[in-house]
Structures are given as structure tokens and as C-alpha cells.
Amino acid sequence: IQLRFGKRWGQVYGAKTQAQLEVTLLPGERITQVSGKQYTYIYQLIVSTNKGRIFFFGQPYGNSFNAVPLSCTEYLAFLTGHYSGASLTGIAMHWAEPRKKE
């Protein structure tokens, strides 16, 4: 997994594969759910947005997990996790309310 913030790309975490998928969120689009499969590693991530788009990354192997915010007005603010040097071994989603424009 690799995330881009504005024009700056972050570090790559996890095993590099030949199949790569790049997703750009639309204006006003926010991540509202993260699901997936894990066993020893995170094998699959499924990302859903408030615009009804769903993105699948990885392979459907292992035990299912699902993360959603406590409130329907919250969105994914950032991710944290564990990395073994070869693969993601854990991931946590952090939710927040959108900032109000002043």
C-alpha cells in the first residue's frame, strides 16, 4: 500500500506485486468503510466511499474484518498499522468528523 497526500507520495508498505491499482478520490469523496481479509498478513482490503464506489485490493484469503465509523458523518482520517518488512501484519482505521469551513 502506498498513499499520496496532495502531490507527495508516501512510502510503500507490503509486498510489491506486478498488479497495481491506483485510486484517486473525487472532490468531496471520503472513505467510509474498510473491510478485508487477514490471516498471518493483510491479504485483502476493500475500501468503500460516500460516493458509492468500492475498491478491491489483494486476494480474498483468511478471516474477514470490517471497520466503520461510529457516526455516519465521520470518515477515514488516517491509517496506522504494522509492517513486517515484507507484508502488512496489522492495520487500524482512525475516523474523524469533517472539519467545518470557517
Side-chain angles (χ1 to χ4, degrees):
I1 188 169
Q2 181 181 28
L3 303 175
R4 187 174 90 180
F5 305 93
K7 295 183 179 183
R8 194 178 121 236
W9 283 97
Q11 184 175 341
V12 175
Y13 295 95
K16 292 183 183 181
T17 64
Q18 294 201 6
Q20 296 179 9
L21 176 62
E22 182 176 319
V23 173
T24 301
L25 296 179
L26 302 171
E29 187 171 29
R30 301 198 184 274
I31 295 172
T32 56
Q33 180 176 359
V34 179
S35 304
K37 298 277 189 172
Q38 63 83 26
Y39 188 64
T40 308
Y41 304 108
I42 305 295
Y43 285 92
Q44 182 181 49
L45 288 175
I46 303 167
V47 177
S48 302
T49 76
N50 63 330
K51 302 282 186 182
R53 298 199 302 165
I54 302 172
F55 305 101
F56 293 81
F57 306 92
Q59 299 301 314
Y61 173 77
N63 302 310
S64 296
F65 65 88
N66 187 45
V68 294
L70 294 175
S71 162
C72 63
T73 60
E74 293 180 327
Y75 67 95
L76 183 68
F78 63 96
L79 298 167
T80 57
H82 298 274
Y83 174 62
S84 71
S87 297
L88 294 174
T89 56
I91 191 167
M93 282 54 74
H94 302 268
W95 309 96
E97 293 278 342
R99 290 184 179 173
K100 296 193 186 326
K101 293 182 181 179
E102 297 181 17

